[in-house]
Amino acid sequence: MKKTLLASVLLLSLLLAACGRPWADDKETANEKTSKEMIEEAQDVEQEKKEILIETTTLSSDKKTVEMKKSGRLMWSQEITLSAQAWGSVYSLPIKEWDKVWPWRVLVTMRDSVGNYGISVQRAQVALERARLTYNQSQLQLDNTVNTSLYSLQQATNNQQVAKETIAQQVSQAQIQLNQSELQLEQTQLQLDQSQLSGNTSTALEIKKIQTEIDNQLDWLKASFQLYYIQSVQLQENIFDLADQLFGVTPLYENQWSSYQWNLGVQQPGIRIETRIAANQFNQRAEDLSNIETRPTSDEQLRLQLEQLDAFYTEAEMMLTKLEQVLEFSVPGASLTQILLQWYVGQVDGLRAWYSAQYPAFIQYRNQVNTLFADKEDEDYQTTLDQQIAIVTKNAQNAQKSAQNAQKNAENAQQAARVQYQSAITQSKDNLFQIDLAKNLAQDAYNLALRNRDIQLSLLSVWIKDAKVNLADAQRQYAKLTITSPINAIVTDVLVDKWADVSMGTPVVKLVGTESNEVTITLDEKQIELVGVGQTVQVTYQWKEYEGSITSVGVVADQTFGYPVTIKVSGITTSLGGTVTVMLPIESDYQTVPLDAVELIGNSKWFIYLWKDSQAQQTQVEVGTVWWDQVEIITELEPDAEIILSDMSNYDPDLVDLKKKNTQVVDDEKNEEDNLEEDTQEELE
C-alpha cells in the first residue's frame, strides 16, 4: 500500500510538470515517433518476459510473537470503580470520601459469610498435605519393592555364578571317572598281556602276586578317597548354602530369613521348625568333614572316614527331603515371590540330581574297600589264599580267558563312564538354561519395579501439582474478600455501608487516579485468556507511541459479553481524551506470515507462494487466527521454507521472470518508505 502511495505521488508530480510546460514546437513534434511505431515497440516489449523483483522471508519453526490490535478510550481522568470479586458482608470500611489511598491500601474488608472461601482454603491445604503424605508413603513402598527386586537379582546373579562353577565341577568329575575307567581298561589290558606272557607261574609267585594285587588295590582306593571326599564337601556346602538362604542359619542370611519366615512352610509349621533345626545340625557336619584326612595312611583310618562320609550322605538325603517338603508347603508373598519360590525349588531339584549321581558311585567305592578289608581280616585268609593258589594252579589254562573277560568288563565300564559323562554334559546344559531363565526373570522383575515406581511417582506428582493449583485458586478466591487500591488515588465515593451484604460484581468504591492516564479496552471471552495483569503493551495516541501496562483484567462480562481491560499509560501530557490504538503482544502456537502473503481463491481456499529452486510454487495451506497484519499458518511447512511476500495475484510464469531482492535492497526501500511516511505525518500535523 505504501508503494502504491509513493507511485501515485510521483505520477501526480509528473502530470503537474507536464501541465506547466509549453506546447512543443513543430520541430519537436516532427521528431516524435508516430503512433504506429510506438504500438510496434510496445508489442515487442510484451513478447519479452518482464523481470520483477520479489521479497521473501524465511519461515521460522519457533513460536512467534504477533500483535492483537484493539481500539480503546483514553480517560479524561483516571476513574476506577472497584467491585466486589466475592460474596460476603462488609466487615470493615477504613476509608471515607476524599481520602488519599495508595497501591495495596485496604479499602474494604468483607466477612466470609456466604462463599465459605476460608473453608475451601483449609480443604485445599488438607488435600495438598494428603497428596504429599501419600507420595512419601508410596515412594517408601516403591523403593522397598525396587530394593527387594534388586536384591533378588543380585542373588540370582550370584547363584548363577555358583551354579556354573558347580556344573563345571560336575562335568570335571565325570571326566575324571571317564579317565579312571580308561585307566582301569589299560590296567586290565596289561593284566591280560601279563597272563599271556607268564602262563603257568610258580605258586610262590602267584601268592606274592595276589598279595601285591590286594595291597595295590588298597593303595589305589586310598588315593581315590580324596575324590569322593571333595565331592562330599562340595555337596555339603551347596546344600547348606541353600538351607542358609532360606532359614538364616548364619548371620549372612538372617535378614532374608526374617522376610521369608512368614511365607516359608506356612502350611506345615512343624516341618519348617524341623527343617531349620536340621539345617543347624547339618552345619555341624561341615566341621566333621573338615577334620578328615584327604589321603588316609592306614586301613583303619580309611574305614573310619568312610563311615563318616556314609553318615554324611544319609544326612544330606534327609536334608534335601526336608527342603523339598518345606518348599512344597510354602506360600508366595511380597518377599518370597512366586518366581523366587520356583527358583528355590529348581535349586533343590538340581542338588537332588547331583546327590543321585554322586551317592551310587560312593557306595560302589565303599563296597570295594569293605570287600578288600573283609578278605584281609578273614581268619581263613590263609586258607582262602591256598584255595586261590590251588585254583590258580588248576586253572592256569583259564587265566587268559578270565583276563579276557576282565578286559571286556573294563570296556563295558568305560562305555558306561562315557555315557555318564555325556549325560553330565546334557544335564549341565539343562541346568544352565534354568539358571539363566531364573536370572532373566529376576532382571525383568527389577526392570518392571523401576518402571512401575517411575509411573506411580509421576502420577502422584501430578496429584500434588493439582492440589497446589487448587490451593492457590482457593487462596486467590479468599483474597478477594479484601479489596485494595491498585493505584495512587483519591476516594470519590463509597458505595456500600458496613455490614451490608454484597454479591460478586457489586460496585463498592470509586477512585480517581493521581498519577497517569488510563486506557480501557474490551476483549471477548477467548481474547481475555491471552492477557494478564502486568503485561506490557504499545499505545498509539495522536500518531505517537507510548508504553503501557495492564493494571486490571475484568472477570465479569458486561451486557455485550465483553470483558474490560484497564491499561496504565505514562507520558501523555495532553488531556484531550479520545480514541487510542492498543497493540497487545500475543504468543502464537503456529507459524505466522504477513497477511499480504496469503491469497484467498474461491470462498475457503487459501494459498501462499513458496520460493523453491528459484521458482514460485503455489501451495494450499490452512490458516488460523488473523492478528492484524499477520495470519497463522496451521499447515506444517518444511523447515526454513522461503515465502514470497510480494503480490502474486497476477503472476504468469510465461510473462514474468521473478528475481529475489537481496537483503540490502529490501532494507533500503523499507527505510525510504518509512521516511516518506514520517514526512507525510509531519505535514499533516
Side-chain angles (χ1 to χ4, degrees):
M1 184 174 181
K2 295 178 180 179
K3 293 180 179 179
T4 305
L5 178 61
L6 179 62
S8 300
V9 173
L10 294 175
L11 180 60
L12 180 61
S13 301
L14 293 175
L15 290 174
L16 293 174
C19 293
R21 58 178 297 190
W23 294 103
D25 54 15
D26 294 337
K27 292 182 179 180
E28 204 170 3
T29 303
N31 292 332
E32 290 181 353
K33 296 181 179 179
T34 64
S35 300
K36 182 177 181 180
E37 290 175 349
M38 293 177 63
I39 293 174
E40 290 178 354
E41 289 182 0
Q43 291 177 350
D44 293 339
V45 171
E46 289 179 356
Q47 292 178 357
E48 296 180 359
K49 284 188 176 182
K50 295 181 180 180
E51 182 178 294
I52 298 178
L53 297 179
I54 59 172
E55 297 181 20
T56 63
T57 182
T58 300
L59 192 63
S60 173
S61 60
D62 297 333
K63 291 183 179 180
K64 184 175 180 181
T65 300
V66 296
E67 291 183 328
M68 178 171 59
K69 182 179 181 181
K70 284 291 179 179
S71 296
R73 179 175 179 79
L74 182 65
M75 307 297 293
W76 283 82
S77 60
Q78 196 171 9
E79 297 181 354
I80 299 176
T81 299
L82 299 179
S83 302
Q85 303 299 317
W87 299 78
S89 60
V90 178
Y91 174 73
S92 174
L93 275 173
I95 57 170
K96 60 183 182 296
E97 291 183 2
W98 309 115
D99 281 352
K100 289 185 178 181
V101 294
W102 52 90
W104 306 111
R105 169 76 156 84
V106 176
L107 305 178
V108 179
T109 302
M110 296 189 296
R111 187 184 298 276
D112 187 8
S113 59
V114 179
N116 294 326
Y117 301 109
I119 296 176
S120 299
V121 171
Q122 294 176 358
R123 290 176 178 174
Q125 289 174 341
V126 172
L128 177 58
E129 291 301 324
R130 186 184 298 113
R132 287 172 175 169
L133 180 60
T134 303
Y135 180 92
N136 294 333
Q137 292 175 346
S138 300
Q139 185 177 27
L140 290 176
Q141 294 176 357
L142 293 170
D143 288 343
N144 184 48
T145 302
V146 171
N147 293 334
T148 301
S149 301
L150 178 59
Y151 178 77
S152 300
L153 175 60
Q154 293 172 347
Q155 286 293 105
T157 304
N158 295 335
N159 293 333
Q160 182 187 45
Q161 184 63 30
V162 172
K164 287 182 178 180
E165 294 175 358
T166 303
I167 291 172
Q169 292 175 357
Q170 292 176 351
V171 173
S172 176
Q173 291 170 2
Q175 181 67 50
I176 292 174
Q177 292 178 356
L178 177 60
N179 294 338
Q180 289 177 349
S181 66
E182 291 176 349
L183 178 60
Q184 187 175 3
L185 178 60
E186 292 176 0
Q187 291 176 350
T188 306
Q189 181 65 41
L190 180 60
Q191 292 174 3
L192 177 60
D193 295 338
Q194 289 176 352
S195 72
Q196 291 176 349
L197 292 175
S198 58
N200 295 326
T201 58
S202 63
T203 301
L205 292 176
E206 289 297 326
I207 293 173
K208 186 174 180 62
K209 179 181 177 181
I210 293 172
Q211 292 175 339
T212 304
E213 183 177 357
I214 292 175
D215 293 335
N216 289 338
Q217 289 181 2
L218 281 174
D219 292 339
W220 180 78
L221 290 173
K222 291 176 182 178
S224 301
F225 178 82
Q226 182 178 5
L227 171 64
Y228 295 98
Y229 168 73
I230 293 174
Q231 293 176 350
S232 302
V233 171
Q234 292 175 346
L235 182 60
Q236 189 277 335
E237 290 176 349
N238 283 275
I239 293 176
F240 175 72
D241 182 69
L242 184 59
D244 191 14
Q245 292 181 35
L246 292 172
F247 294 97
V249 178
T250 65
L252 180 62
Y253 296 104
E254 282 182 354
N255 293 333
Q256 186 165 309
W257 156 247
S258 298
S259 60
Y260 286 173
Q261 62 179 339
W262 305 111
N263 306 98
L264 196 63
V266 294
Q267 297 179 355
Q268 292 290 339
I271 293 178
R272 178 181 62 184
I273 296 173
E274 292 176 3
T275 306
R276 195 162 192 264
I277 294 173
N280 282 278
Q281 295 174 352
F282 193 70
N283 187 29
Q284 300 299 324
R285 180 58 60 184
E287 298 179 2
D288 298 336
L289 293 178
S290 64
N291 296 326
I292 292 178
E293 292 291 336
T294 58
R295 188 177 182 89
T297 57
S298 64
D299 296 346
E300 184 64 19
Q301 187 180 22
L302 178 60
R303 182 186 291 108
L304 292 175
Q305 294 185 165
L306 280 176
E307 291 176 358
Q308 291 179 333
L309 291 184
D310 195 18
F312 157 74
Y313 279 106
T314 301
E315 293 183 7
E317 199 281 335
M318 180 185 68
M319 192 69 233
L320 289 174
T321 301
K322 289 186 177 297
L323 289 175
E324 291 170 345
Q325 292 175 347
V326 78
L327 290 175
E328 181 181 359
F329 295 109
S330 297
V331 175
S335 298
L336 187 62
T337 62
Q338 182 67 34
I339 295 175
L340 190 57
L341 183 60
Q342 291 178 356
W343 182 85
Y344 280 120
V345 171
Q347 291 294 304
V348 174
D349 292 340
L351 292 173
R352 172 67 73 179
W354 187 0
Y355 172 88
S356 300
Q358 186 171 310
Y359 184 63
F362 169 75
I363 294 300
Q364 182 181 1
Y365 169 77
R366 185 196 63 183
N367 292 338
Q368 290 178 357
V369 174
N370 291 336
T371 300
L372 288 178
F373 284 159
D375 291 341
K376 290 188 66 175
E377 295 173 359
D378 190 5
E379 294 179 356
D380 297 330
Y381 176 71
Q382 188 62 42
T383 303
T384 303
L385 287 179
D386 294 339
Q387 292 175 356
Q388 290 180 353
I389 292 170
I391 292 173
V392 170
T393 302
K394 292 178 180 180
N395 300 316
Q397 298 84 2
N398 297 327
Q400 184 176 1
K401 184 177 180 180
S402 299
Q404 292 174 350
N405 291 334
Q407 183 185 23
K408 185 176 181 180
N409 293 334
E411 290 175 352
N412 293 335
Q414 182 196 30
Q415 185 64 28
R418 190 175 298 279
V419 171
Q420 185 177 1
Y421 175 74
Q422 295 297 332
S423 177
I425 294 295
T426 303
Q427 184 66 28
S428 65
K429 292 181 180 179
D430 294 339
N431 292 339
L432 283 175
F433 174 78
Q434 296 295 333
I435 292 168
D436 292 339
L437 178 61
K439 192 258 184 181
N440 292 335
L441 291 175
Q443 182 68 57
D444 293 340
Y446 174 68
N447 294 337
L448 180 61
L450 286 177
R451 289 195 296 270
N452 182 61
R453 181 186 64 179
D454 294 339
I455 293 172
Q456 294 297 329
L457 292 181
S458 178
L459 293 175
L460 292 173
S461 296
V462 173
W463 184 14
I464 291 176
K465 290 179 181 178
D466 292 341
K468 289 181 178 179
V469 171
N470 293 335
L471 176 59
D473 182 68
Q475 290 173 340
R476 283 194 296 271
Q477 295 298 328
Y478 183 79
K480 291 178 180 179
L481 293 172
T482 301
I483 301 175
T484 60
S485 174
I487 59 173
N488 291 321
I490 296 176
V491 178
T492 59
D493 196 1
V494 179
L495 304 176
V496 294
D497 298 325
K498 190 173 183 180
W499 308 116
D501 293 330
V502 295
S503 59
M504 186 180 298
T506 301
V508 294
V509 177
K510 285 187 177 181
L511 304 177
V512 174
T514 60
E515 287 186 348
S516 59
N517 297 306
E518 285 188 348
V519 173
T520 301
I521 61 174
T522 302
L523 302 180
D524 60 27
E525 184 177 1
K526 292 184 179 179
Q527 294 171 344
I528 199 69
E529 298 294 334
L530 303 176
V531 299
V533 175
Q535 183 176 351
T536 301
V537 299
Q538 293 295 327
V539 178
T540 302
Y541 178 66
Q542 293 184 351
W543 301 287
K544 292 185 179 181
E545 291 186 355
Y546 302 90
E547 185 176 286
S549 176
I550 296 177
T551 57
S552 67
V553 177
V555 295
V556 179
D558 57 17
Q559 294 179 352
T560 63
F561 301 101
Y563 292 83
V565 176
T566 303
I567 302 171
K568 178 181 178 181
V569 184
S570 301
I572 300 179
T573 57
T574 60
S575 56
L576 298 177
T579 302
V580 299
T581 301
V582 181
M583 304 299 294
L584 297 96
I586 303 298
E587 289 291 340
S588 174
D589 292 332
Y590 301 98
Q591 301 164 327
T592 59
V593 300
L595 185 60
D596 295 340
V598 183
E599 180 180 3
L600 176 63
I601 299 179
N603 294 328
S604 59
K605 293 183 179 180
W606 295 87
F607 293 88
I608 62 173
Y609 283 87
L610 298 179
W611 183 252
K612 190 173 183 180
D613 298 331
S614 300
Q615 293 182 355
Q617 178 180 341
Q618 188 183 45
T619 303
Q620 184 176 354
V621 293
E622 180 183 356
V623 301
T625 305
V626 177
W627 302 102
W628 191 32
D629 62 344
Q630 298 286 321
V631 61
E632 292 178 343
I633 301 297
I634 300 178
T635 304
E636 292 188 5
L637 302 175
E638 296 181 357
D640 300 330
E642 224 175 338
I643 298 178
I644 298 176
L645 301 179
S646 303
D647 183 14
M648 301 292 290
S649 58
N650 297 322
Y651 170 64
D652 188 345
D654 295 332
L655 301 177
V656 175
D657 187 12
L658 301 179
K659 296 293 183 180
K660 187 175 70 170
K661 291 183 179 180
N662 57 45
T663 305
Q664 184 63 40
V665 173
V666 175
D667 292 341
D668 292 343
E669 290 183 357
K670 187 175 183 305
N671 294 334
E672 191 174 317
E673 293 175 2
D674 293 341
N675 294 334
L676 179 61
E677 185 178 8
E678 291 177 358
D679 295 340
T680 303
Q681 182 170 335
E682 290 178 357
E683 292 177 0
L684 291 176
E685 292 178 352

